[in-house]
Amino acid sequence: MKRIAIMFCMVLSMTMTANAQTNGLTEGEEISIRERCDVMINDFQHYLEIIAGKGKSLKVRNHYVAQTYKLFIGECEAYKDLNSKKGAMHEPVQMQVSSLGKKEPETKPMKEYLNRLKTLPYAKVEIKKAQTHKLSDIKKVGDRYEATATIYQEFRGYNENGQLVYGGTGGDWTEKSIRIYIEPTEDVMHGAYFDIKLGDTSVVETKAMK
Amino acid sequence: MMKLINFILAYLIGAASLSAQISHFDEESLKVRVKQVDEFMSRINLNETVEGNRIDESTDTLELRKCALTLFARDSAGHSEWMSDTLMSAVIDSITTRKYPVHFGDSTFSAVVSCSGIYKKNQVDWRMELQVRNIRKHEDKWIITSANGKLFDVFTRDSSFFISPALHGVSFMSLPGDMRVNKNLIVSLTDDNYQVDNLSLLFGWLYSGSLVIDKVTHVEYLFKHIPGYILYVKQNNTMKRVVSGWQIYRIEKL
């Protein structure tokens, strides 16, 4: 029995080593990238809460809109296409938006989405994130790496009387997937590091809460 | 076996605290949810537990079965429209032997992507099968391997339509007119063995602008790594299920 257990451990550790090596990153690099992706995803969701919420001044919310731009590839402007050898420009990062009344999600440039979020027609807006989010395996794509993050948000819109006016009786609940670009970079200030930027964001599912 | 499955289901319900209607984030149920296809593969290989921890020598059989069970789309009563209990049990047994791991670049793993678009002013749908190919060390890519759908049923072979053996006498001058009039039969002018390739048709239409691809409407995956079975995987998000996310909704026994 003990021998079987030892063999099981050996096979398991071989499998784990194989898994760790499938993208060519060292275990340390992978851990570091994952931690930084987690931070960026958390920052993004936290910024959305501030931008949408009416609790802070417009100046503060504008500041967070500008901060959010910086999280995305091309800072939400058109950017040099990563696959083009001729330097073709890629359209700005997009965000899919869903709502309970609409069957199909709508796709908007991220910049437009963020600025609309600031001016939603509700007296009070709540965007809450789930603690749980999931980062996919990190895949090697040419000289860079890519991953996907799955996040969960709750959204509620209230009128002046504090009544919930969007999202049925409990708001809505959305699952989104965000593309993540991870680029090995080197500069004089920081030395070698992985530059991480977020990309297009798709809606997986939206449902009403009770 | 069913007793064990029911026991694990009850355990999962308890752990996940899922109800038919969600009222707020239920972090436990989100953890159990199979959130990504990568996570599905990790769980079907029994590399990680439902909580996302690495499976090691201390992981007991119940934990392995619990992990495997989260991969099946079943309602809170444990029922499934497309899977018999016997089939599900057999696949769980195979998973828990850990003899059949699946990897991202394996030819036994493919994606079926449903697309919609406009073909000659009409809305059309079709499916493309994609597989992963290794480009070089540590690097893969998805490739399109086939396409199918009613859209491609354009040609009919008719033995009464052929090129006259006398046509060379007039330097084949009638051929263009014959081909224009019998567009859907032109395949009959080829050797009997010739098969129209759907992918070539698709690419030709896309290139010429006859077909404009609009969007991806649905994605599902086929896993054929367990000998004797095809596992159909799609996203099952109804919260009436014990566990949701990317799950096996149908098993085909070969």
Side-chain angles (χ1 to χ4, degrees):
Chain A
M1 188 63 195
K2 198 177 172 187
R3 203 177 284 172
I4 292 170
I6 291 167
M7 276 180 67
F8 178 77
C9 290
M10 281 172 66
V11 170
L12 193 70
S13 66
M14 281 164 68
T15 314
M16 284 167 68
T17 313
N19 284 342
Q21 288 174 347
T22 50
N23 52 21
L25 291 165
T26 65
E27 199 180 339
E29 286 173 332
E30 174 127 5
I31 291 170
S32 156
I33 288 171
R34 285 185 169 274
E35 282 173 355
R36 291 193 43 223
C37 286
D38 285 346
V39 169
M40 283 191 88
I41 294 294
N42 279 324
D43 282 352
F44 173 50
Q45 292 192 271
H46 180 56
Y47 294 171
L48 289 182
E49 287 175 21
I50 295 170
I51 295 165
K54 311 274 179 176
K56 301 268 191 271
S57 69
L58 194 59
K59 192 178 165 189
V60 170
R61 288 193 286 146
N62 279 333
H63 167 77
Y64 278 97
V65 168
Q67 290 301 109
T68 310
Y69 291 167
K70 291 178 189 167
L71 299 177
F72 285 88
I73 190 163
E75 299 198 359
C76 297
E77 299 288 351
Y79 58 93
K80 194 172 160 270
D81 190 280
L82 299 173
N83 300 313
S84 170
K85 301 260 185 299
K86 294 177 182 172
M89 296 302 282
H90 192 285
E91 59 189 19
V93 168
Q94 296 189 314
M95 167 69 115
Q96 269 189 351
V97 187
S98 57
S99 64
L100 294 171
K102 287 181 184 161
K103 251 185 163 182
E104 295 281 324
E106 213 181 319
T107 305
K108 295 176 189 299
M110 184 63 74
K111 216 168 178 176
E112 187 185 324
Y113 164 76
L114 291 170
N115 284 290
R116 275 206 188 181
L117 197 61
K118 213 169 50 179
T119 55
L120 288 172
Y122 304 107
K124 186 184 155 198
V125 172
E126 254 180 31
I127 292 184
K128 267 177 68 181
K129 70 181 178 72
Q131 294 303 311
T132 303
H133 65 256
K134 179 77 182 175
L135 194 66
S136 70
D137 293 345
I138 299 171
K139 305 270 192 306
K140 186 160 170 49
V141 183
D143 296 332
R144 65 179 193 277
Y145 299 87
E146 286 190 24
T148 312
T150 306
I151 62 166
Y152 301 91
Q153 291 176 329
E154 285 180 8
F155 182 95
R156 293 181 188 86
Y158 299 90
N159 66 13
E160 290 84 354
N161 303 323
Q163 290 165 320
L164 191 68
V165 286
Y166 172 79
T169 51
D172 79 16
W173 185 98
T174 303
E175 178 178 345
K176 289 188 171 180
S177 291
I178 307 173
R179 190 173 180 181
I180 301 175
Y181 299 91
I182 303 146
E183 186 130 24
T185 312
E186 195 164 356
D187 66 29
V188 183
M189 283 276 283
H190 304 95
Y193 66 100
F194 290 98
D195 187 29
I196 298 173
K197 294 287 180 195
L198 307 181
D200 289 340
T201 304
S202 69
V203 170
V204 179
E205 184 193 11
T206 298
K207 62 172 74 119
M209 294 189 296
K210 271 205 169 179
Chain B
M1 176 52 78
M2 274 317 293
K3 271 186 185 171
L4 180 63
I5 289 172
N6 288 335
F7 171 73
I8 297 171
L9 273 173
Y11 179 92
L12 281 170
I13 294 165
S17 311
L18 275 177
S19 59
Q21 291 282 340
I22 49 165
S23 54
H24 54 80
F25 284 133
D26 181 335
E27 296 288 349
E28 286 305 315
S29 68
L30 283 181
K31 278 181 193 166
V32 174
R33 185 181 178 102
V34 193
K35 294 170 279 296
Q36 296 175 340
V37 177
D38 289 358
E39 189 176 25
F40 177 91
M41 290 176 86
S42 192
R43 283 197 202 176
I44 203 166
N45 288 338
L46 296 179
N47 287 337
E48 65 177 46
T49 64
V50 169
E51 288 78 21
N53 302 317
R54 284 270 178 205
I55 283 176
D56 58 27
E57 73 279 11
S58 63
T59 313
D60 63 19
T61 315
L62 182 65
E63 191 69 32
L64 296 182
R65 286 198 167 270
K66 189 177 102 179
C67 184
L69 202 60
T70 61
L71 303 173
F72 295 84
R74 294 165 73 86
D75 62 25
S76 52
H79 298 130
S80 167
E81 197 181 330
W82 291 90
M83 286 176 290
S84 70
D85 295 334
T86 319
L87 268 185
M88 192 180 84
S89 300
V91 172
I92 289 178
D93 285 343
S94 297
I95 292 171
T96 51
T97 61
R98 300 168 64 108
K99 279 185 188 167
Y100 312 107
V102 59
H103 303 104
F104 189 66
D106 290 352
S107 58
T108 52
F109 161 65
S110 60
V112 179
V113 176
S114 302
C115 299
S116 72
I118 303 292
Y119 179 71
K120 294 181 178 173
K121 297 184 181 169
N122 294 314
Q123 160 116 28
V124 288
D125 303 291
W126 70 96
R127 289 178 303 283
M128 298 189 293
E129 186 159 351
L130 280 75
Q131 287 196 337
V132 178
R133 289 284 184 274
N134 186 252
I135 308 173
R136 54 188 78 86
K137 198 178 177 193
H138 305 312
E139 209 176 330
D140 303 305
K141 63 176 181 179
W142 282 102
I143 56 155
I144 303 170
T145 54
S146 64
N148 60 71
K150 280 187 182 166
L151 175 67
F152 302 103
D153 299 339
V154 286
F155 298 119
T156 309
R157 194 171 273 279
D158 180 348
S159 59
S160 65
F161 179 57
F162 56 87
I163 303 171
S164 160
L167 208 59
H168 63 287
V170 290
S171 300
F172 297 98
M173 73 170 289
S174 318
L175 186 58
D178 289 346
M179 291 174 82
R180 277 197 299 272
V181 173
N182 300 287
K183 276 189 290 194
N184 63 324
L185 301 179
I186 49 176
V187 71
S188 318
L189 306 182
T190 64
D191 193 358
D192 289 349
N193 303 326
Y194 176 75
Q195 294 281 329
V196 176
D197 167 34
N198 288 355
L199 265 189
S200 301
L201 270 182
L202 179 71
F203 294 157
W205 289 334
L206 288 169
Y207 181 76
S208 67
S210 308
L211 173 65
V212 178
I213 185 165
D214 182 20
K215 62 186 170 194
V216 170
T217 53
H218 181 75
V219 179
E220 65 179 68
Y221 296 88
L222 303 185
F223 288 82
K224 300 173 187 166
H225 64 293
I226 298 176
Y229 299 97
I230 301 176
L231 312 180
Y232 294 80
V233 173
K234 67 175 182 180
Q235 212 162 27
N236 296 282
N237 285 335
T238 160
M239 298 305 278
K240 283 181 183 170
R241 295 187 191 282
V242 179
V243 184
S244 58
W246 289 98
Q247 292 179 304
I248 300 163
Y249 73 96
R250 180 182 163 203
I251 300 171
E252 189 179 326
K253 191 163 171 33
L254 299 173

